[in-house]
Amino acid sequence: MSVVRAAFLPAVGSPLEIAGIRLPEPGPGQVRVRLAAAGVCHSDLSLSNGTMRVPVPAVLGHEGAGTVVAVGEGVTHVAPGDGVVLNWAPSCGACHPCSLGEVWLCADALTGAGNLHATTEDGTDLHPGLNVAAFAEETVVAAKCVLPVPDGVPLTDAALLGCAVLTGWGAIHHSARVRQGETVVVYGVGGVGLATIQAARIAGASTIIAVDVSPEKEALARAAGATEYVVASETTAKEVRKLTGGQGADVAVECVGRATTIRTAWDSTRRGGRTTVVGIGGKDQQVTFHALELFHWGRTLSGCVYGNSDPAKDLPVLAEHIRAGRLDLGALVTERITLDGIPGAFDNMLAGKGGRALVVF
């Protein structure tokens, strides 16, 4: 048992607390990791405000990478000194979705969130948020929650592979299945949106339109590969159609999780177009369609969990793009912070500012 600094959520709707926690040594089938970096994702904000539910109090953070410092009995695929990416949604390999090869829908992926992870210094039990508790100097996770960092990928940048990049890549390549020459519109230019834009560029999209409420994000979007930029308004769908020859985009990817944005994304696609929803919205976000338009437009609307990705298979593919210079992880990061900067990063997300904030240890 040792004390490490961490950011934990004492209760839903409460501010994060940043303090020492008592972290046990790894037991059988567990790995202890010293974090190099952790990304601050909108899902962490959704956990803190109750949009997504996990047992609390909890150490948040699910996008991270670091170095193995100890392994428990039975762990053989990693060893002390290895660089690893945290996998917050490990598949069990035995449930119905896993038997179909849909590991991103594993029925047991988040069961670890109910486990006891650590305690505060006054003895309060803490859970591991989305399994991996990455907002901490060190964490102890199930062995299936770590994957080796591919060769040639800097350890700090590798943190982004744990959520933003897999999600954006998968939205384009697994869910929407963008083909060479297609037109793509991406709603929301945060960390996931920027990864989605890069993935669309790599897929060979001919026109990539980025949409965001903030005019200040245009430079970020264009650097990632956007060919057009639209500041969100009531006429966004019309502007997208104008930029795509009057037809609408072949593919829309929604990275915001709001009913109005999902509806706009749908409206901005052509007849027969595909809309993939990556953003996580609350139960109060109701999206409506009438029966005739569903028939007439022939569009497809799909949810997308973790990019519909299998991390074990996708990480080597992403690593090759990184080594070749096609995928720039550093371009997703607009702020490098310490643990103490996480509340400010939450505020920036609520205000729609910046791309990914990265906690660097």
Side-chain angles (χ1 to χ4, degrees):
M1 187 79 70
S2 57
V3 175
V4 300
R5 287 189 85 228
F8 62 89
L9 180 71
V12 172
S14 297
L16 290 182
E17 293 186 18
I18 299 160
I21 64 170
R22 297 188 182 277
L23 188 68
E25 295 304 311
Q30 291 185 320
V31 177
R32 186 173 181 127
V33 178
R34 179 179 298 116
L35 272 296
V40 183
C41 179
H42 206 282
S43 296
D44 299 308
L45 183 60
S46 295
L47 292 171
S48 71
N49 63 26
T51 299
M52 296 171 62
R53 293 281 184 174
V54 293
V56 292
V59 179
L60 299 187
H62 62 281
E63 180 184 86
T67 302
V68 175
V69 294
V71 299
E73 181 183 350
V75 178
T76 58
H77 74 295
V78 294
D82 289 350
V84 292
V85 177
L86 299 181
N87 176 15
W88 63 270
S91 60
C92 69
C95 68
H96 184 60
C98 286
S99 72
L100 298 174
E102 298 172 348
V103 297
W104 54 91
L105 298 178
C106 176
D108 297 319
L110 292 181
T111 55
N115 294 342
L116 175 63
H117 174 70
T119 63
T120 63
E121 293 197 85
D122 66 5
T124 302
D125 289 344
L126 295 170
H127 299 284
L130 291 179
N131 282 326
V132 296
F135 286 169
E137 293 170 330
E138 295 188 9
T139 187
V140 173
V141 301
K144 62 183 179 180
C145 288
V146 297
L147 294 166
V149 172
D151 292 340
V153 180
L155 188 57
T156 299
D157 289 349
L160 301 165
L161 295 172
C163 184
V165 176
L166 275 173
T167 300
W169 174 264
I172 291 294
H173 291 269
H174 300 320
S175 180
R177 298 184 181 182
V178 173
R179 299 181 287 266
Q180 181 85 24
E182 288 194 308
T183 56
V184 176
V185 55
V186 178
Y187 286 83
V189 185
V192 173
L194 289 169
T196 303
I197 292 168
Q198 288 204 44
R201 171 177 47 77
I202 293 169
S206 59
T207 300
I208 304 172
I209 305 164
V211 180
D212 198 277
V213 296
S214 172
E216 288 75 23
K217 291 188 179 183
E218 180 172 359
L220 280 174
R222 290 192 181 275
T227 59
E228 308 288 346
Y229 191 82
V230 173
V231 178
S233 70
E234 293 181 357
T235 63
T236 295
K238 291 181 179 179
E239 292 181 63
V240 171
R241 286 196 293 273
K242 184 177 179 181
L243 292 168
T244 53
Q247 297 300 310
D250 295 301
V251 169
V253 181
E254 199 272 358
C255 305
V256 180
R258 294 196 185 113
T260 54
T261 316
I262 294 169
R263 179 70 220 206
T264 301
W266 163 277
D267 288 338
S268 66
T269 59
R270 65 169 174 83
R271 199 174 186 190
R274 290 124 46 213
T275 298
T276 287
V277 178
V278 172
I280 300 172
K283 293 180 180 179
D284 60 325
Q285 297 293 310
Q286 298 291 316
V287 188
T288 60
F289 307 91
H290 61 72
L292 182 60
E293 69 177 312
L294 294 175
F295 161 77
H296 173 76
W297 288 101
R299 292 163 169 156
T300 301
L301 179 67
S302 301
C304 182
V305 179
Y306 204 7
N308 293 5
S309 293
D310 181 343
K313 293 179 179 179
D314 285 328
L315 285 184
V317 175
L318 291 167
E320 180 56 36
H321 287 297
I322 294 166
R323 289 191 292 264
R326 292 183 291 267
L327 180 60
D328 183 358
L329 299 182
L332 307 183
V333 180
T334 54
E335 187 179 19
R336 295 177 185 266
I337 60 175
T338 65
L339 278 173
D340 298 288
I342 295 175
F346 278 11
D347 291 340
N348 285 339
M349 280 192 289
L350 285 170
K353 297 179 180 178
R356 204 42 135 218
L358 189 67
V359 180
V360 179
F361 295 91

